[in-house]
PDB file of all heavy atoms in Angstrom:
ATOM      1  N   ALA A 483      27.043  18.704 -12.066  1.00  0.00           N
ATOM      2  CA  ALA A 483      25.676  19.109 -12.465  1.00  0.00           C
ATOM      3  C   ALA A 483      25.598  20.143 -13.456  1.00  0.00           C
ATOM      4  O   ALA A 483      26.427  21.112 -13.388  1.00  0.00           O
ATOM      5  CB  ALA A 483      24.877  19.418 -11.222  1.00  0.00           C
ATOM      6  N   ASN A 484      24.649  20.088 -14.348  1.00  0.00           N
ATOM      7  CA  ASN A 484      24.318  21.176 -15.259  1.00  0.00           C
ATOM      8  C   ASN A 484      23.029  21.702 -14.761  1.00  0.00           C
ATOM      9  O   ASN A 484      22.028  20.999 -14.758  1.00  0.00           O
ATOM     10  CB  ASN A 484      24.132  20.734 -16.681  1.00  0.00           C
ATOM     11  CG  ASN A 484      25.357  20.283 -17.372  1.00  0.00           C
ATOM     12  OD1 ASN A 484      26.391  20.935 -17.126  1.00  0.00           O
ATOM     13  ND2 ASN A 484      25.397  19.305 -18.203  1.00  0.00           N
ATOM     14  N   MET A 485      23.013  22.887 -14.208  1.00  0.00           N
ATOM     15  CA  MET A 485      21.847  23.464 -13.497  1.00  0.00           C
ATOM     16  C   MET A 485      20.774  23.755 -14.544  1.00  0.00           C
ATOM     17  O   MET A 485      21.037  24.266 -15.650  1.00  0.00           O
ATOM     18  CB  MET A 485      22.113  24.664 -12.686  1.00  0.00           C
ATOM     19  CG  MET A 485      23.395  24.492 -11.759  1.00  0.00           C
ATOM     20  SD  MET A 485      23.112  23.070 -10.612  1.00  0.00           S
ATOM     21  CE  MET A 485      21.893  23.704  -9.537  1.00  0.00           C
ATOM     22  N   ALA A 486      19.528  23.518 -14.173  1.00  0.00           N
ATOM     23  CA  ALA A 486      18.370  23.698 -15.079  1.00  0.00           C
ATOM     24  C   ALA A 486      18.240  25.209 -15.306  1.00  0.00           C
ATOM     25  O   ALA A 486      18.616  26.080 -14.449  1.00  0.00           O
ATOM     26  CB  ALA A 486      17.099  23.146 -14.438  1.00  0.00           C
ATOM     27  N   ARG A 487      17.616  25.504 -16.511  1.00  0.00           N
ATOM     28  CA  ARG A 487      17.405  26.889 -16.876  1.00  0.00           C
ATOM     29  C   ARG A 487      16.051  27.350 -16.298  1.00  0.00           C
ATOM     30  O   ARG A 487      15.013  27.447 -16.964  1.00  0.00           O
ATOM     31  CB  ARG A 487      17.562  27.099 -18.339  1.00  0.00           C
ATOM     32  CG  ARG A 487      18.908  26.842 -18.923  1.00  0.00           C
ATOM     33  CD  ARG A 487      18.961  27.007 -20.377  1.00  0.00           C
ATOM     34  NE  ARG A 487      20.317  27.011 -20.969  1.00  0.00           N
ATOM     35  CZ  ARG A 487      20.896  25.728 -21.187  1.00  0.00           C
ATOM     36  NH1 ARG A 487      20.305  24.560 -21.104  1.00  0.00           N
ATOM     37  NH2 ARG A 487      22.156  25.794 -21.704  1.00  0.00           N
ATOM     38  N   LYS A 488      16.054  27.598 -15.041  1.00  0.00           N
ATOM     39  CA  LYS A 488      14.842  27.971 -14.308  1.00  0.00           C
ATOM     40  C   LYS A 488      15.202  28.721 -13.030  1.00  0.00           C
ATOM     41  O   LYS A 488      16.362  28.622 -12.543  1.00  0.00           O
ATOM     42  CB  LYS A 488      13.913  26.850 -14.067  1.00  0.00           C
ATOM     43  CG  LYS A 488      14.465  25.732 -13.152  1.00  0.00           C
ATOM     44  CD  LYS A 488      13.359  24.632 -12.967  1.00  0.00           C
ATOM     45  CE  LYS A 488      13.880  23.593 -11.992  1.00  0.00           C
ATOM     46  NZ  LYS A 488      12.850  22.503 -11.857  1.00  0.00           N
ATOM     47  N   GLU A 489      14.227  29.216 -12.385  1.00  0.00           N
ATOM     48  CA  GLU A 489      14.497  29.898 -11.083  1.00  0.00           C
ATOM     49  C   GLU A 489      14.912  28.920  -9.993  1.00  0.00           C
ATOM     50  O   GLU A 489      14.188  27.923  -9.918  1.00  0.00           O
ATOM     51  CB  GLU A 489      13.358  30.769 -10.643  1.00  0.00           C
ATOM     52  CG  GLU A 489      13.624  31.627  -9.479  1.00  0.00           C
ATOM     53  CD  GLU A 489      12.408  32.519  -9.138  1.00  0.00           C
ATOM     54  OE1 GLU A 489      11.343  32.453  -9.857  1.00  0.00           O
ATOM     55  OE2 GLU A 489      12.396  33.274  -8.159  1.00  0.00           O
ATOM     56  N   ASN A 490      15.936  29.283  -9.305  1.00  0.00           N
ATOM     57  CA  ASN A 490      16.307  28.412  -8.123  1.00  0.00           C
ATOM     58  C   ASN A 490      16.460  26.872  -8.375  1.00  0.00           C
ATOM     59  O   ASN A 490      15.905  25.983  -7.785  1.00  0.00           O
ATOM     60  CB  ASN A 490      15.384  28.581  -6.916  1.00  0.00           C
ATOM     61  CG  ASN A 490      15.184  29.944  -6.514  1.00  0.00           C
ATOM     62  OD1 ASN A 490      16.263  30.589  -6.354  1.00  0.00           O
ATOM     63  ND2 ASN A 490      14.028  30.319  -6.190  1.00  0.00           N
ATOM     64  N   PRO A 491      17.341  26.550  -9.462  1.00  0.00           N
ATOM     65  CA  PRO A 491      17.555  25.102  -9.746  1.00  0.00           C
ATOM     66  C   PRO A 491      18.339  24.525  -8.544  1.00  0.00           C
ATOM     67  O   PRO A 491      19.018  25.192  -7.751  1.00  0.00           O
ATOM     68  CB  PRO A 491      18.342  25.226 -11.015  1.00  0.00           C
ATOM     69  CG  PRO A 491      19.105  26.626 -10.969  1.00  0.00           C
ATOM     70  CD  PRO A 491      18.115  27.475 -10.275  1.00  0.00           C
ATOM     71  N   MET A 492      18.211  23.208  -8.607  1.00  0.00           N
ATOM     72  CA  MET A 492      18.889  22.450  -7.434  1.00  0.00           C
ATOM     73  C   MET A 492      19.476  21.182  -7.934  1.00  0.00           C
ATOM     74  O   MET A 492      18.943  20.506  -8.844  1.00  0.00           O
ATOM     75  CB  MET A 492      17.851  22.219  -6.344  1.00  0.00           C
ATOM     76  CG  MET A 492      18.331  21.449  -5.223  1.00  0.00           C
ATOM     77  SD  MET A 492      16.935  21.115  -4.017  1.00  0.00           S
ATOM     78  CE  MET A 492      15.918  20.013  -5.176  1.00  0.00           C
ATOM     79  N   ALA A 493      20.525  20.681  -7.289  1.00  0.00           N
ATOM     80  CA  ALA A 493      21.110  19.398  -7.676  1.00  0.00           C
ATOM     81  C   ALA A 493      21.838  18.910  -6.482  1.00  0.00           C
ATOM     82  O   ALA A 493      22.126  19.630  -5.480  1.00  0.00           O
ATOM     83  CB  ALA A 493      22.199  19.545  -8.838  1.00  0.00           C
ATOM     84  N   GLY A 494      22.008  17.625  -6.355  1.00  0.00           N
ATOM     85  CA  GLY A 494      22.697  16.986  -5.255  1.00  0.00           C
ATOM     86  C   GLY A 494      22.535  15.470  -5.192  1.00  0.00           C
ATOM     87  O   GLY A 494      22.097  14.820  -6.153  1.00  0.00           O
ATOM     88  N   VAL A 495      22.941  14.882  -4.086  1.00  0.00           N
ATOM     89  CA  VAL A 495      22.975  13.496  -3.833  1.00  0.00           C
ATOM     90  C   VAL A 495      22.423  13.188  -2.455  1.00  0.00           C
ATOM     91  O   VAL A 495      22.744  13.811  -1.568  1.00  0.00           O
ATOM     92  CB  VAL A 495      24.355  12.825  -4.011  1.00  0.00           C
ATOM     93  CG1 VAL A 495      24.331  11.297  -3.884  1.00  0.00           C
ATOM     94  CG2 VAL A 495      24.965  13.236  -5.372  1.00  0.00           C
ATOM     95  N   LEU A 496      21.520  12.154  -2.422  1.00  0.00           N
ATOM     96  CA  LEU A 496      20.988  11.762  -1.140  1.00  0.00           C
ATOM     97  C   LEU A 496      21.503  10.252  -0.903  1.00  0.00           C
ATOM     98  O   LEU A 496      21.543   9.472  -1.810  1.00  0.00           O
ATOM     99  CB  LEU A 496      19.430  11.761  -1.188  1.00  0.00           C
ATOM    100  CG  LEU A 496      18.803  13.098  -1.265  1.00  0.00           C
ATOM    101  CD1 LEU A 496      17.282  12.967  -1.443  1.00  0.00           C
ATOM    102  CD2 LEU A 496      19.044  13.893   0.074  1.00  0.00           C
ATOM    103  N   PHE A 497      21.641  10.041   0.426  1.00  0.00           N
ATOM    104  CA  PHE A 497      22.178   8.764   0.830  1.00  0.00           C
ATOM    105  C   PHE A 497      21.170   8.077   1.750  1.00  0.00           C
ATOM    106  O   PHE A 497      20.989   8.496   2.877  1.00  0.00           O
ATOM    107  CB  PHE A 497      23.618   8.913   1.586  1.00  0.00           C
ATOM    108  CG  PHE A 497      24.600   9.606   0.708  1.00  0.00           C
ATOM    109  CD1 PHE A 497      24.835  11.010   0.816  1.00  0.00           C
ATOM    110  CD2 PHE A 497      25.317   8.831  -0.168  1.00  0.00           C
ATOM    111  CE1 PHE A 497      25.788  11.582   0.039  1.00  0.00           C
ATOM    112  CE2 PHE A 497      26.322   9.615  -0.973  1.00  0.00           C
ATOM    113  CZ  PHE A 497      26.441  10.930  -0.825  1.00  0.00           C
TER     114      PHE A 497
END
Side-chain angles (χ1 to χ4, degrees):
N484 291 322
M485 308 305 290
R487 292 179 175 86
K488 64 180 182 181
E489 187 176 359
N490 299 321
M492 178 185 64
V495 183
L496 291 173
F497 303 94

